[in-house]
Amino acid sequence: MTDKITAVKGMNDIVAPDSAHWEWLEARVRDLFARYGYRNIRTPIVEPLALFVRGLGEVTDIVEKEMYAFEDRLNGEQLALRPEGTAGVVRAVVEHSLLYDGPKRYYYMGPMFRHERPQRGRYRQFHQVGVEALGLAGPEADAELIAMAADLWRELGLQDIALELNSLGQPAERQAHRQALIAYFEQHRDQLDEDARRRLYTNPLRILDTKNPAMQALVEAAPKLLDHLGPASLAHFEAVRRLLDAQGIAYRVNPRLVRGLDYYHHTVFEFVTTSLGAQGTVCAGGRYDGLMAEVGGKPAPGVGWAMGVERILELLKAQQRLPAAPVPDAYAIVPDPQAWPQVMPVLRALRAAGLQVLMHAAGPDGLGSMKSQFKKADASGARYALIFGEAELAAGQVAVKPLREGLSGPVTAQTLLPVAEAAEWATRLRPAGAT
């Protein structure tokens, strides 16, 4: 036998009925974003490697250890599978001069790629939904984005999601804090783990994000970035807080919140949960006013966030907020294959009228008996069986049989329906079964 080919580890197939949950979530997201005035943008999965090296930072974990980078063997280009969405959106905005007529609000959704050890809630191919507000400098843009995420949790019915907030200030302020951190950790080098010693002179801010329990007390006593912020940065941060307070959005200021990418400054935030174990961050973002210039464009402000789709779905499942799997309205039972020329036009008319109809078709052993077809109809979850028997078709009719108890609508007991009236029946039935 030929060896079976399986998916790459950490890159998963999404099949029904789970895929219906993805579609449901995506529809809810699109609806909310439209109400906030955000429009869809779709960028390539493969981008120039330089985009992420310059945009994210050479000493970030993503660029150093996690990114899928490769050389195009046809022309020698250095390319990468996108590990996040913001840099690609900013590249597209710069390349196509999309801010020529004013600020833009975009959202995206799709797969990202990082070479990590696969575990619950963290995969090598994972999916993100993200929003980016470009050309907007004020704290009201930060607060609006945060409110949009908070609204999404409310509309999904999710609990146990808390907002953590911080400010990274401006580059000069962050540089002063960086020097203070280096000096502090140098004095305690013997308490640093291997990862912290590696970051000490390249990205000391990331030491504050350590998950090592043995270093928590050391990190807690480290210099705080908020103490290095100047009047303008403090004013921006305080304005964001006031706007969140005005909307009744609870948060906790976390001076250790740093985010893992170099392009962030000013506001940064995370929505975290205790319901998913170690993978507690479900949505994160912040302001990145310097990124446009980093990828070769004119300086312009930006702010955004991204959420992990897999983690949100895990949370919805854990909190029993996922909808029931979709089922067809009707299942068409066809005892005789000679009936297909009469049956299929009727089914098309029913579908055109809005009905979801699953048609029984022949398997390797043929159509099967009426009894076996009824079993499949019942297993499908359909509300009705449509029986296209020889006698019914000879009379120009179809038998409609309810398969579920307590159905309301135009048919509550088995009845014969003229084929010519099937589409009209479907229009009366569909509102009761609409989702």
Side-chain angles (χ1 to χ4, degrees):
M1 291 180 62
T2 303
D3 291 341
K4 181 171 65 175
I5 298 175
T6 61
V8 176
K9 186 177 182 180
M11 300 186 180
N12 303 318
D13 300 309
I14 303 164
V15 301
D18 290 343
S19 56
H21 295 149
W22 287 68
E23 292 176 321
W24 170 82
L25 178 59
E26 290 164 359
R28 301 292 294 271
V29 163
R30 288 190 183 98
D31 177 71
L32 175 65
F33 291 171
R35 282 181 267 143
Y36 271 84
Y38 282 71
R39 299 294 177 256
N40 186 230
I41 186 169
R42 306 184 184 208
T43 60
I45 288 174
V46 178
E47 293 272 14
L49 175 62
L51 173 65
F52 302 113
V53 173
R54 287 161 55 185
L56 276 60
E58 289 189 60
V59 296
T60 57
D61 281 354
I62 291 177
V63 172
E64 284 187 325
K65 299 187 297 184
E66 299 170 359
M67 193 159 55
Y68 282 94
F70 58 96
E71 180 179 295
D72 187 333
R73 64 182 181 181
L74 297 180
N75 58 16
E77 283 186 292
Q78 298 298 312
L79 305 175
L81 298 180
R82 62 184 186 192
E84 58 93 56
T86 300
V89 171
V90 170
R91 189 268 313 148
V93 168
V94 169
E95 182 174 344
H96 303 293
S97 302
L98 297 179
L99 299 185
Y100 78 97
D101 60 347
K104 295 292 187 298
R105 291 175 169 90
Y106 292 119
Y107 77 87
Y108 61 86
M109 53 179 66
M112 310 293 163
F113 302 85
R114 297 184 192 178
H115 195 280
E116 300 184 282
R117 182 171 61 85
Q119 54 187 289
R120 179 190 178 196
R122 175 176 288 179
Y123 306 101
R124 290 175 176 171
Q125 176 177 305
F126 59 101
H127 298 75
Q128 285 187 340
V129 168
V131 290
E132 314 291 351
L134 301 141
L136 299 170
E140 67 277 5
D142 307 26
E144 182 187 59
L145 274 168
I146 293 170
M148 185 160 60
D151 285 349
L152 181 59
W153 316 144
R154 187 188 68 243
E155 294 191 10
L156 294 175
L158 287 172
Q159 305 294 323
D160 183 35
I161 297 183
L163 171 62
E164 295 190 346
L165 193 66
N166 193 22
S167 174
L168 299 184
Q170 301 183 55
E173 296 159 349
R174 199 158 61 250
Q175 182 63 24
H177 177 242
R178 182 181 186 276
Q179 295 306 317
L181 281 179
I182 291 175
Y184 170 77
F185 286 124
E186 281 180 333
Q187 296 173 9
H188 304 279
R189 182 185 288 270
D190 59 328
Q191 299 179 50
L192 300 181
D193 60 19
E194 181 181 350
D195 192 51
R197 286 194 292 270
R198 181 178 62 83
R199 297 176 191 269
L200 180 56
Y201 298 105
T202 58
N203 198 354
L205 203 63
R206 292 291 290 149
I207 299 177
L208 302 178
D209 201 31
T210 181
K211 300 300 187 291
N212 186 345
M215 289 182 54
Q216 293 308 307
L218 179 67
V219 165
E220 187 60 32
K224 294 178 172 59
L225 180 52
L226 287 174
D227 295 335
H228 290 76
L229 299 186
S233 294
L234 286 172
H236 186 99
F237 189 50
E238 290 303 316
V240 172
R241 295 180 63 183
R242 284 196 303 273
L243 292 170
L244 295 178
D245 292 338
Q247 298 174 85
I249 298 174
Y251 60 88
R252 180 178 76 91
V253 175
N254 178 2
R256 302 306 178 199
L257 177 60
V258 296
R259 305 298 302 135
L261 306 177
D262 284 359
Y263 57 59
Y264 284 117
H265 67 282
H266 278 313
T267 311
V268 290
F269 55 89
E270 289 186 355
F271 286 92
V272 298
T273 179
T274 61
S275 299
L276 295 178
Q279 307 305 324
T281 301
V282 295
C283 174
R287 181 162 283 282
Y288 48 84
D289 292 351
L291 184 55
M292 202 80 70
E294 285 289 339
V295 300
K298 295 179 180 179
V303 60
W305 57 250
M307 73 175 194
V309 176
E310 285 89 347
R311 292 187 189 178
I312 292 297
L313 288 169
E314 281 276 352
L315 194 57
L316 286 162
K317 181 179 180 181
Q319 298 185 8
Q320 299 182 329
R321 294 292 181 178
L322 288 173
V327 296
D329 295 306
Y331 189 102
I333 292 175
V334 186
D336 184 358
Q338 300 301 317
W340 288 127
Q342 293 174 271
V343 171
M344 295 190 76
V346 178
L347 300 186
R348 287 192 73 195
L350 291 171
R351 292 163 180 150
L355 216 60
Q356 296 180 15
V357 183
L358 183 60
M359 181 185 77
H360 186 85
D365 300 321
L367 279 173
S369 66
M370 285 279 284
K371 182 178 180 180
S372 68
Q373 291 194 39
F374 266 111
K375 284 184 177 180
K376 291 184 181 299
D378 187 57
S380 74
R383 301 163 66 213
Y384 295 91
L386 305 177
I387 307 164
F388 293 90
E390 182 180 356
E392 289 87 357
L393 288 175
Q397 296 176 318
V398 56
V400 181
K401 179 180 180 179
L403 296 176
R404 305 284 172 257
E405 293 183 359
L407 291 178
S408 60
V411 175
T412 58
Q414 182 165 336
T415 188
L416 290 173
L417 185 73
V419 166
E421 297 178 13
E424 192 274 334
W425 170 75
T427 60
R428 289 184 288 133
L429 172 68
R430 189 61 189 137
T435 56

